[in-house]
Amino acid sequence: MFDKRTWAAGLWIPVLALGVAASAHADDKPALRTIASTTLTDRQQSATTVITIAEGAKVDGKRAIRYHVVYDSASNCHAVVDGTATFFSETDESGDTSEALPNGEWATTHQFRDNGANGLVKLGVDVDAAHPRFVDFTLEHPAAALPKCIGPAGLVFNVFAERADPTNPLYKMRDKTAATYHNVVYDYMVDYPDELLVPGTESASGDGLDFAPKSGKADIAVWGKYASPDDTRASLLHDDETHCAPGKVSYEVNKPTFIAFSCLTPKGRIVYEKMAIHNDVYAAVRFEYDAADHATWGPVIKQMAGSLRIGPGPQPAKD
């Protein structure tokens, strides 16, 4: 296991590995591309979903994306959902700013929201390309006017412009139910792809365990602990960042429900780490791997870090 006194924070967004320059100044960021009308199709055994998105007129000064979704299920459910979603944040609910593409490249994503006539629509969109290569769509609390076959669970899908490579971990994880590790000592949970990872034996203290890859090389661990009187979110971040190479902290998040940072180690390895916070309990997940293996481990990190949760009736840690 990793030293729990040493490593105890955040979600690592591998900005350096993505080739995206980290900057503390908004003026240094490249201009965003205008999104041209783009249609993507997600064909699954249970349903076919077609989404068209395009740049819309700004709403209250915020960037806007027009969307049109046509959903047809194998059980003869047909639904059409369209509207305009406005810019919400640069990070998703797990603090991530990117999405692994099937070809092993990465796309910068922004989040958009439309809380209107359809229900709550959440869009995650690739903003690096004029024709987005990835769109993530979620419809929560669907409106009563929508077809009853949609059901209270709404719609959830993500779609890529490029056909997935069956050997890519992102492809292997799609439409599969994740396994869940539940730590009873600190009552935290994390989902993981059991087709890629094997959970080890819990530590003697019962605070967590390591995961062993079935193939490839990576150090993966989860653990929990109770807060101490001297702990602050800032101090945890500061303490852990001393283990990064000088000047190689490329991302940092400090929110009430989780803290996060990203860096390269002195040996040039990528560290990706997230700590969820709930009352006096901390729960963390940590990856360390070679930069050359980012296409393999990026999707796994996204799944595990996004599912990390604490306590009864758990929800993924979010602000």
Side-chain angles (χ1 to χ4, degrees):
M1 293 291 294
F2 297 109
D3 185 345
K4 313 321 173 294
R5 297 168 298 175
T6 298
W7 291 103
L11 171 64
W12 195 87
I13 306 303
V15 176
L16 296 174
L18 307 188
V20 178
S23 173
H25 303 286
D27 293 342
D28 296 336
K29 295 180 179 179
L32 295 174
R33 294 177 180 270
T34 298
I35 293 178
S37 180
T38 303
T39 298
L40 302 176
T41 302
D42 182 47
R43 291 186 176 89
Q44 303 295 325
Q45 190 170 13
S46 59
T48 297
T49 310
V50 180
I51 182 169
T52 299
I53 63 170
E55 194 84 24
K58 288 186 176 181
V59 177
D60 297 329
K62 295 182 178 181
R63 188 181 191 184
I65 301 295
R66 293 183 287 110
Y67 63 89
H68 180 83
V69 175
V70 179
Y71 173 81
D72 287 290
S73 75
S75 57
N76 297 318
C77 175
H78 176 78
V80 176
V81 181
D82 54 18
T84 300
T86 56
F87 177 78
F88 181 75
S89 71
E90 292 186 357
T91 61
D92 65 17
E93 292 173 343
S94 64
D96 204 349
T97 61
S98 58
E99 180 65 38
L101 301 176
N103 63 3
E105 296 180 355
W106 284 79
T108 302
T109 54
H110 284 181
Q111 308 302 310
F112 298 81
R113 297 287 186 272
D114 177 20
N115 195 1
N118 298 309
L120 176 58
V121 170
K122 301 179 179 180
L123 280 178
V125 179
D126 166 22
V127 295
D128 285 337
H131 290 280
R133 299 156 295 174
F134 168 80
V135 175
D136 182 74
F137 180 92
T138 301
L139 170 63
E140 297 180 354
H141 315 298
L146 292 175
K148 299 298 182 184
C149 58
I150 294 297
L155 289 176
V156 179
F157 67 90
N158 55 56
V159 57
F160 296 88
E162 184 174 339
R163 176 172 291 185
D165 176 359
T167 66
N168 187 281
L170 188 66
Y171 180 88
K172 293 179 180 180
M173 291 162 57
R174 289 190 61 171
D175 300 321
K176 291 189 177 182
T177 301
T180 300
Y181 166 66
H182 179 200
N183 182 275
V184 297
V185 176
Y186 296 98
D187 195 22
Y188 68 85
M189 282 139 281
V190 64
D191 299 335
Y192 66 94
D194 58 358
E195 70 272 17
L196 300 176
L197 299 177
V198 177
T201 303
E202 283 191 332
S203 63
S205 64
D207 64 345
L209 51 75
D210 295 337
F211 289 91
K214 291 186 177 180
S215 64
K217 182 180 179 182
D219 298 320
I220 307 165
V222 294
W223 67 90
K225 73 171 190 174
Y226 291 116
S228 70
D230 296 330
D231 283 340
T232 66
R233 300 196 306 272
S235 70
L236 289 169
L237 283 167
H238 178 268
D239 291 347
D240 285 352
E241 287 172 1
T242 61
H243 296 268
C244 303
K248 295 301 184 180
V249 176
S250 56
Y251 182 84
E252 184 178 289
V253 175
N254 185 336
K255 294 187 176 184
T257 55
F258 74 91
I259 55 177
F261 75 94
S262 65
C263 72
L264 293 179
T265 69
K267 294 183 178 181
R269 301 194 84 201
I270 290 175
V271 173
Y272 190 118
E273 202 173 309
K274 176 181 181 179
M275 173 175 277
I277 302 170
H278 181 67
N279 296 329
D280 63 343
V281 177
Y282 300 155
V285 58
R286 180 180 186 268
F287 278 69
E288 184 175 327
Y289 57 96
D290 294 334
D293 296 329
H294 182 63
T296 296
W297 297 116
V300 182
I301 294 168
K302 188 175 182 69
Q303 179 188 57
M304 294 181 68
S307 68
L308 184 65
R309 54 203 187 271
I310 304 173
Q315 295 292 329
K318 66 182 78 172
D319 190 10

